[in-house]
Amino acid sequence: MKLIRDRILKDGKVYPGGVLKVDSFLNHQIDSELLSETGKELFRLFGDENITKIVTVEASGIAIACLTAIHFRVPAVFAKKNKTVNISDNLYTAEVESFTHKKTYPIVIDKAYITESDRILIVDDFLAKGHALMGLLDIARQAGASVAGAGIIIEKCFQGGGDTLRSQGLRIESLAMIESMSDDGTIIFRK
Ligand code: 5GP
């Protein structure tokens, strides 16, 4: 999506370790109009899939999920990063390895909000190694819900998660696909 690629080139900052900072429009200050456009684009791509829930992980996925869900006219559900150990019978839980914080944390979703009658679209800000996506897929599997695919704002292709999950049959639509990033700030997109 040209809108996202242009915005990354204008405002994205490359950090060591293959990290891209997009705090000015996605991860701290949020450009809601831009995210409404990405939501519209995801509706164009997945609108015929009978989606019943848009699912993401807190915190940075929430705005994306809401501004996507509004186009699908369905609820947005976000997995909470569980800080306490009160894993109850009412929760689905999965372990996620954090790309940015280099540690593993549990995510939880209340069983009330995803059921076997749901058809889910997973959304997130970034796709790097695919761990966040795998955690949400695990929860969808536990719930018996079907997954139409994943809509990602920025995929860093060089970190491999997207290609691995696509090879396992998951439909992933990434609105900007970064082939490579170098420490001097050069960003090359996948054609
Ligand atoms: P994965 O689980 O695919 O390895 O990483 C995806 C998650 O890590 C996303 O939910 C995102 O919040 C975070 N993340 C991964 N790479 C980046 C990055 O380059 N910049 C930012 N801001 N977040 C990232």
mmCIF file with all atom_site columns, all heavy atoms in Angstrom, residues 90-106:
data_model
loop_
_atom_site.group_PDB
_atom_site.id
_atom_site.type_symbol
_atom_site.label_atom_id
_atom_site.label_alt_id
_atom_site.label_comp_id
_atom_site.label_asym_id
_atom_site.label_entity_id
_atom_site.label_seq_id
_atom_site.pdbx_PDB_ins_code
_atom_site.Cartn_x
_atom_site.Cartn_y
_atom_site.Cartn_z
_atom_site.occupancy
_atom_site.B_iso_or_equiv
_atom_site.pdbx_formal_charge
_atom_site.auth_seq_id
_atom_site.auth_comp_id
_atom_site.auth_asym_id
_atom_site.auth_atom_id
_atom_site.pdbx_PDB_model_num
ATOM 1   N N   . ASN A 1 90  ? -11.580 -19.714 32.564 1.00 0.00 ? 90  ASN A N   1
ATOM 2   C CA  . ASN A 1 90  ? -12.327 -18.884 31.612 1.00 0.00 ? 90  ASN A CA  1
ATOM 3   C C   . ASN A 1 90  ? -11.455 -18.229 30.560 1.00 0.00 ? 90  ASN A C   1
ATOM 4   O O   . ASN A 1 90  ? -11.941 -17.444 29.765 1.00 0.00 ? 90  ASN A O   1
ATOM 5   C CB  . ASN A 1 90  ? -13.064 -17.768 32.371 1.00 0.00 ? 90  ASN A CB  1
ATOM 6   C CG  . ASN A 1 90  ? -14.061 -18.355 33.333 1.00 0.00 ? 90  ASN A CG  1
ATOM 7   O OD1 . ASN A 1 90  ? -14.645 -19.398 33.045 1.00 0.00 ? 90  ASN A OD1 1
ATOM 8   N ND2 . ASN A 1 90  ? -14.236 -17.719 34.464 1.00 0.00 ? 90  ASN A ND2 1
ATOM 9   N N   . LEU A 1 91  ? -10.163 -18.549 30.580 1.00 0.00 ? 91  LEU A N   1
ATOM 10  C CA  . LEU A 1 91  ? -9.247  -17.862 29.670 1.00 0.00 ? 91  LEU A CA  1
ATOM 11  C C   . LEU A 1 91  ? -8.547  -18.830 28.733 1.00 0.00 ? 91  LEU A C   1
ATOM 12  O O   . LEU A 1 91  ? -8.147  -19.918 29.147 1.00 0.00 ? 91  LEU A O   1
ATOM 13  C CB  . LEU A 1 91  ? -8.166  -17.123 30.478 1.00 0.00 ? 91  LEU A CB  1
ATOM 14  C CG  . LEU A 1 91  ? -8.612  -16.063 31.468 1.00 0.00 ? 91  LEU A CG  1
ATOM 15  C CD1 . LEU A 1 91  ? -7.423  -15.591 32.297 1.00 0.00 ? 91  LEU A CD1 1
ATOM 16  C CD2 . LEU A 1 91  ? -9.251  -14.884 30.749 1.00 0.00 ? 91  LEU A CD2 1
ATOM 17  N N   . TYR A 1 92  ? -8.389  -18.404 27.474 1.00 0.00 ? 92  TYR A N   1
ATOM 18  C CA  . TYR A 1 92  ? -7.443  -19.083 26.599 1.00 0.00 ? 92  TYR A CA  1
ATOM 19  C C   . TYR A 1 92  ? -6.106  -18.404 26.815 1.00 0.00 ? 92  TYR A C   1
ATOM 20  O O   . TYR A 1 92  ? -6.038  -17.180 26.966 1.00 0.00 ? 92  TYR A O   1
ATOM 21  C CB  . TYR A 1 92  ? -7.837  -18.914 25.133 1.00 0.00 ? 92  TYR A CB  1
ATOM 22  C CG  . TYR A 1 92  ? -9.141  -19.571 24.783 1.00 0.00 ? 92  TYR A CG  1
ATOM 23  C CD1 . TYR A 1 92  ? -10.215 -18.814 24.357 1.00 0.00 ? 92  TYR A CD1 1
ATOM 24  C CD2 . TYR A 1 92  ? -9.289  -20.955 24.886 1.00 0.00 ? 92  TYR A CD2 1
ATOM 25  C CE1 . TYR A 1 92  ? -11.420 -19.417 24.034 1.00 0.00 ? 92  TYR A CE1 1
ATOM 26  C CE2 . TYR A 1 92  ? -10.491 -21.570 24.567 1.00 0.00 ? 92  TYR A CE2 1
ATOM 27  C CZ  . TYR A 1 92  ? -11.550 -20.793 24.142 1.00 0.00 ? 92  TYR A CZ  1
ATOM 28  O OH  . TYR A 1 92  ? -12.733 -21.384 23.832 1.00 0.00 ? 92  TYR A OH  1
ATOM 29  N N   . THR A 1 93  ? -5.027  -19.184 26.804 1.00 0.00 ? 93  THR A N   1
ATOM 30  C CA  . THR A 1 93  ? -3.720  -18.577 27.011 1.00 0.00 ? 93  THR A CA  1
ATOM 31  C C   . THR A 1 93  ? -2.684  -19.171 26.069 1.00 0.00 ? 93  THR A C   1
ATOM 32  O O   . THR A 1 93  ? -2.801  -20.328 25.657 1.00 0.00 ? 93  THR A O   1
ATOM 33  C CB  . THR A 1 93  ? -3.283  -18.719 28.490 1.00 0.00 ? 93  THR A CB  1
ATOM 34  O OG1 . THR A 1 93  ? -2.025  -18.077 28.657 1.00 0.00 ? 93  THR A OG1 1
ATOM 35  C CG2 . THR A 1 93  ? -3.186  -20.153 28.938 1.00 0.00 ? 93  THR A CG2 1
ATOM 36  N N   . ALA A 1 94  ? -1.706  -18.353 25.691 1.00 0.00 ? 94  ALA A N   1
ATOM 37  C CA  . ALA A 1 94  ? -0.607  -18.821 24.843 1.00 0.00 ? 94  ALA A CA  1
ATOM 38  C C   . ALA A 1 94  ? 0.651   -18.051 25.231 1.00 0.00 ? 94  ALA A C   1
ATOM 39  O O   . ALA A 1 94  ? 0.568   -16.964 25.800 1.00 0.00 ? 94  ALA A O   1
ATOM 40  C CB  . ALA A 1 94  ? -0.938  -18.579 23.371 1.00 0.00 ? 94  ALA A CB  1
ATOM 41  N N   . GLU A 1 95  ? 1.788   -18.657 24.929 1.00 0.00 ? 95  GLU A N   1
ATOM 42  C CA  . GLU A 1 95  ? 3.069   -18.008 25.234 1.00 0.00 ? 95  GLU A CA  1
ATOM 43  C C   . GLU A 1 95  ? 3.579   -17.296 23.982 1.00 0.00 ? 95  GLU A C   1
ATOM 44  O O   . GLU A 1 95  ? 3.544   -17.863 22.888 1.00 0.00 ? 95  GLU A O   1
ATOM 45  C CB  . GLU A 1 95  ? 4.113   -19.061 25.637 1.00 0.00 ? 95  GLU A CB  1
ATOM 46  C CG  . GLU A 1 95  ? 3.921   -19.650 27.012 1.00 0.00 ? 95  GLU A CG  1
ATOM 47  C CD  . GLU A 1 95  ? 4.203   -18.638 28.117 1.00 0.00 ? 95  GLU A CD  1
ATOM 48  O OE1 . GLU A 1 95  ? 5.209   -17.911 28.024 1.00 0.00 ? 95  GLU A OE1 1
ATOM 49  O OE2 . GLU A 1 95  ? 3.395   -18.579 29.066 1.00 0.00 ? 95  GLU A OE2 1
ATOM 50  N N   . VAL A 1 96  ? 4.055   -16.077 24.143 1.00 0.00 ? 96  VAL A N   1
ATOM 51  C CA  . VAL A 1 96  ? 4.596   -15.319 23.005 1.00 0.00 ? 96  VAL A CA  1
ATOM 52  C C   . VAL A 1 96  ? 5.991   -14.825 23.354 1.00 0.00 ? 96  VAL A C   1
ATOM 53  O O   . VAL A 1 96  ? 6.214   -14.294 24.439 1.00 0.00 ? 96  VAL A O   1
ATOM 54  C CB  . VAL A 1 96  ? 3.689   -14.106 22.672 1.00 0.00 ? 96  VAL A CB  1
ATOM 55  C CG1 . VAL A 1 96  ? 4.357   -13.209 21.643 1.00 0.00 ? 96  VAL A CG1 1
ATOM 56  C CG2 . VAL A 1 96  ? 2.340   -14.576 22.159 1.00 0.00 ? 96  VAL A CG2 1
ATOM 57  N N   . GLU A 1 97  ? 6.915   -15.021 22.406 1.00 0.00 ? 97  GLU A N   1
ATOM 58  C CA  . GLU A 1 97  ? 8.259   -14.490 22.592 1.00 0.00 ? 97  GLU A CA  1
ATOM 59  C C   . GLU A 1 97  ? 8.272   -13.074 22.041 1.00 0.00 ? 97  GLU A C   1
ATOM 60  O O   . GLU A 1 97  ? 7.934   -12.874 20.874 1.00 0.00 ? 97  GLU A O   1
ATOM 61  C CB  . GLU A 1 97  ? 9.234   -15.380 21.814 1.00 0.00 ? 97  GLU A CB  1
ATOM 62  C CG  . GLU A 1 97  ? 10.639  -15.339 22.319 1.00 0.00 ? 97  GLU A CG  1
ATOM 63  C CD  . GLU A 1 97  ? 11.520  -16.241 21.478 1.00 0.00 ? 97  GLU A CD  1
ATOM 64  O OE1 . GLU A 1 97  ? 11.225  -17.461 21.380 1.00 0.00 ? 97  GLU A OE1 1
ATOM 65  O OE2 . GLU A 1 97  ? 12.471  -15.716 20.883 1.00 0.00 ? 97  GLU A OE2 1
ATOM 66  N N   . SER A 1 98  ? 8.643   -12.118 22.858 1.00 0.00 ? 98  SER A N   1
ATOM 67  C CA  . SER A 1 98  ? 8.601   -10.723 22.414 1.00 0.00 ? 98  SER A CA  1
ATOM 68  C C   . SER A 1 98  ? 9.816   -10.392 21.565 1.00 0.00 ? 98  SER A C   1
ATOM 69  O O   . SER A 1 98  ? 10.954  -10.617 21.972 1.00 0.00 ? 98  SER A O   1
ATOM 70  C CB  . SER A 1 98  ? 8.567   -9.798  23.622 1.00 0.00 ? 98  SER A CB  1
ATOM 71  O OG  . SER A 1 98  ? 8.846   -8.482  23.221 1.00 0.00 ? 98  SER A OG  1
ATOM 72  N N   . PHE A 1 99  ? 9.557   -9.827  20.381 1.00 0.00 ? 99  PHE A N   1
ATOM 73  C CA  . PHE A 1 99  ? 10.661  -9.428  19.502 1.00 0.00 ? 99  PHE A CA  1
ATOM 74  C C   . PHE A 1 99  ? 11.397  -8.238  20.091 1.00 0.00 ? 99  PHE A C   1
ATOM 75  O O   . PHE A 1 99  ? 12.624  -8.197  20.105 1.00 0.00 ? 99  PHE A O   1
ATOM 76  C CB  . PHE A 1 99  ? 10.130  -9.057  18.106 1.00 0.00 ? 99  PHE A CB  1
ATOM 77  C CG  . PHE A 1 99  ? 11.219  -8.608  17.187 1.00 0.00 ? 99  PHE A CG  1
ATOM 78  C CD1 . PHE A 1 99  ? 11.966  -9.529  16.479 1.00 0.00 ? 99  PHE A CD1 1
ATOM 79  C CD2 . PHE A 1 99  ? 11.528  -7.261  17.053 1.00 0.00 ? 99  PHE A CD2 1
ATOM 80  C CE1 . PHE A 1 99  ? 13.000  -9.110  15.657 1.00 0.00 ? 99  PHE A CE1 1
ATOM 81  C CE2 . PHE A 1 99  ? 12.558  -6.842  16.230 1.00 0.00 ? 99  PHE A CE2 1
ATOM 82  C CZ  . PHE A 1 99  ? 13.293  -7.766  15.530 1.00 0.00 ? 99  PHE A CZ  1
ATOM 83  N N   . THR A 1 100 ? 10.634  -7.274  20.606 1.00 0.00 ? 100 THR A N   1
ATOM 84  C CA  . THR A 1 100 ? 11.262  -6.025  21.048 1.00 0.00 ? 100 THR A CA  1
ATOM 85  C C   . THR A 1 100 ? 11.847  -6.123  22.454 1.00 0.00 ? 100 THR A C   1
ATOM 86  O O   . THR A 1 100 ? 12.794  -5.440  22.781 1.00 0.00 ? 100 THR A O   1
ATOM 87  C CB  . THR A 1 100 ? 10.262  -4.849  20.951 1.00 0.00 ? 100 THR A CB  1
ATOM 88  O OG1 . THR A 1 100 ? 8.962   -5.319  21.319 1.00 0.00 ? 100 THR A OG1 1
ATOM 89  C CG2 . THR A 1 100 ? 10.175  -4.304  19.553 1.00 0.00 ? 100 THR A CG2 1
ATOM 90  N N   . HIS A 1 101 ? 11.267  -6.995  23.304 1.00 0.00 ? 101 HIS A N   1
ATOM 91  C CA  . HIS A 1 101 ? 11.751  -7.052  24.692 1.00 0.00 ? 101 HIS A CA  1
ATOM 92  C C   . HIS A 1 101 ? 12.554  -8.311  25.008 1.00 0.00 ? 101 HIS A C   1
ATOM 93  O O   . HIS A 1 101 ? 13.036  -8.480  26.128 1.00 0.00 ? 101 HIS A O   1
ATOM 94  C CB  . HIS A 1 101 ? 10.566  -6.930  25.667 1.00 0.00 ? 101 HIS A CB  1
ATOM 95  C CG  . HIS A 1 101 ? 9.842   -5.631  25.522 1.00 0.00 ? 101 HIS A CG  1
ATOM 96  N ND1 . HIS A 1 101 ? 8.615   -5.513  24.904 1.00 0.00 ? 101 HIS A ND1 1
ATOM 97  C CD2 . HIS A 1 101 ? 10.209  -4.373  25.863 1.00 0.00 ? 101 HIS A CD2 1
ATOM 98  C CE1 . HIS A 1 101 ? 8.259   -4.235  24.895 1.00 0.00 ? 101 HIS A CE1 1
ATOM 99  N NE2 . HIS A 1 101 ? 9.194   -3.524  25.462 1.00 0.00 ? 101 HIS A NE2 1
ATOM 100 N N   . LYS A 1 102 ? 12.700  -9.191  24.015 1.00 0.00 ? 102 LYS A N   1
ATOM 101 C CA  . LYS A 1 102 ? 13.532  -10.394 24.169 1.00 0.00 ? 102 LYS A CA  1
ATOM 102 C C   . LYS A 1 102 ? 13.163  -11.231 25.385 1.00 0.00 ? 102 LYS A C   1
ATOM 103 O O   . LYS A 1 102 ? 14.020  -11.690 26.138 1.00 0.00 ? 102 LYS A O   1
ATOM 104 C CB  . LYS A 1 102 ? 15.042  -10.036 24.249 1.00 0.00 ? 102 LYS A CB  1
ATOM 105 C CG  . LYS A 1 102 ? 15.528  -9.095  23.162 1.00 0.00 ? 102 LYS A CG  1
ATOM 106 C CD  . LYS A 1 102 ? 15.659  -9.781  21.814 1.00 0.00 ? 102 LYS A CD  1
ATOM 107 C CE  . LYS A 1 102 ? 16.070  -8.810  20.733 1.00 0.00 ? 102 LYS A CE  1
ATOM 108 N NZ  . LYS A 1 102 ? 15.313  -8.898  19.497 1.00 0.00 ? 102 LYS A NZ  1
ATOM 109 N N   . LYS A 1 103 ? 11.866  -11.377 25.650 1.00 0.00 ? 103 LYS A N   1
ATOM 110 C CA  . LYS A 1 103 ? 11.451  -12.269 26.730 1.00 0.00 ? 103 LYS A CA  1
ATOM 111 C C   . LYS A 1 103 ? 10.120  -12.904 26.341 1.00 0.00 ? 103 LYS A C   1
ATOM 112 O O   . LYS A 1 103 ? 9.464   -12.453 25.398 1.00 0.00 ? 103 LYS A O   1
ATOM 113 C CB  . LYS A 1 103 ? 11.326  -11.509 28.057 1.00 0.00 ? 103 LYS A CB  1
ATOM 114 C CG  . LYS A 1 103 ? 10.326  -10.378 28.005 1.00 0.00 ? 103 LYS A CG  1
ATOM 115 C CD  . LYS A 1 103 ? 10.105  -9.767  29.370 1.00 0.00 ? 103 LYS A CD  1
ATOM 116 C CE  . LYS A 1 103 ? 8.930   -8.805  29.274 1.00 0.00 ? 103 LYS A CE  1
ATOM 117 N NZ  . LYS A 1 103 ? 8.599   -8.058  30.405 1.00 0.00 ? 103 LYS A NZ  1
ATOM 118 N N   . THR A 1 104 ? 9.737   -13.944 27.074 1.00 0.00 ? 104 THR A N   1
ATOM 119 C CA  . THR A 1 104 ? 8.482   -14.621 26.761 1.00 0.00 ? 104 THR A CA  1
ATOM 120 C C   . THR A 1 104 ? 7.418   -14.178 27.749 1.00 0.00 ? 104 THR A C   1
ATOM 121 O O   . THR A 1 104 ? 7.703   -13.996 28.931 1.00 0.00 ? 104 THR A O   1
ATOM 122 C CB  . THR A 1 104 ? 8.702   -16.144 26.873 1.00 0.00 ? 104 THR A CB  1
ATOM 123 O OG1 . THR A 1 104 ? 9.689   -16.498 25.900 1.00 0.00 ? 104 THR A OG1 1
ATOM 124 C CG2 . THR A 1 104 ? 7.438   -16.911 26.561 1.00 0.00 ? 104 THR A CG2 1
ATOM 125 N N   . TYR A 1 105 ? 6.203   -13.951 27.235 1.00 0.00 ? 105 TYR A N   1
ATOM 126 C CA  . TYR A 1 105 ? 5.121   -13.536 28.127 1.00 0.00 ? 105 TYR A CA  1
ATOM 127 C C   . TYR A 1 105 ? 3.833   -14.241 27.712 1.00 0.00 ? 105 TYR A C   1
ATOM 128 O O   . TYR A 1 105 ? 3.659   -14.587 26.534 1.00 0.00 ? 105 TYR A O   1
ATOM 129 C CB  . TYR A 1 105 ? 4.946   -12.004 28.080 1.00 0.00 ? 105 TYR A CB  1
ATOM 130 C CG  . TYR A 1 105 ? 4.664   -11.474 26.700 1.00 0.00 ? 105 TYR A CG  1
ATOM 131 C CD1 . TYR A 1 105 ? 3.360   -11.358 26.219 1.00 0.00 ? 105 TYR A CD1 1
ATOM 132 C CD2 . TYR A 1 105 ? 5.703   -11.108 25.852 1.00 0.00 ? 105 TYR A CD2 1
ATOM 133 C CE1 . TYR A 1 105 ? 3.100   -10.903 24.935 1.00 0.00 ? 105 TYR A CE1 1
ATOM 134 C CE2 . TYR A 1 105 ? 5.457   -10.649 24.568 1.00 0.00 ? 105 TYR A CE2 1
ATOM 135 C CZ  . TYR A 1 105 ? 4.153   -10.545 24.125 1.00 0.00 ? 105 TYR A CZ  1
ATOM 136 O OH  . TYR A 1 105 ? 3.898   -10.104 22.851 1.00 0.00 ? 105 TYR A OH  1
ATOM 137 N N   . PRO A 1 106 ? 2.941   -14.473 28.678 1.00 0.00 ? 106 PRO A N   1
ATOM 138 C CA  . PRO A 1 106 ? 1.666   -15.092 28.310 1.00 0.00 ? 106 PRO A CA  1
ATOM 139 C C   . PRO A 1 106 ? 0.674   -14.065 27.789 1.00 0.00 ? 106 PRO A C   1
ATOM 140 O O   . PRO A 1 106 ? 0.668   -12.921 28.247 1.00 0.00 ? 106 PRO A O   1
ATOM 141 C CB  . PRO A 1 106 ? 1.163   -15.696 29.623 1.00 0.00 ? 106 PRO A CB  1
ATOM 142 C CG  . PRO A 1 106 ? 1.932   -15.034 30.707 1.00 0.00 ? 106 PRO A CG  1
ATOM 143 C CD  . PRO A 1 106 ? 3.076   -14.273 30.124 1.00 0.00 ? 106 PRO A CD  1
#
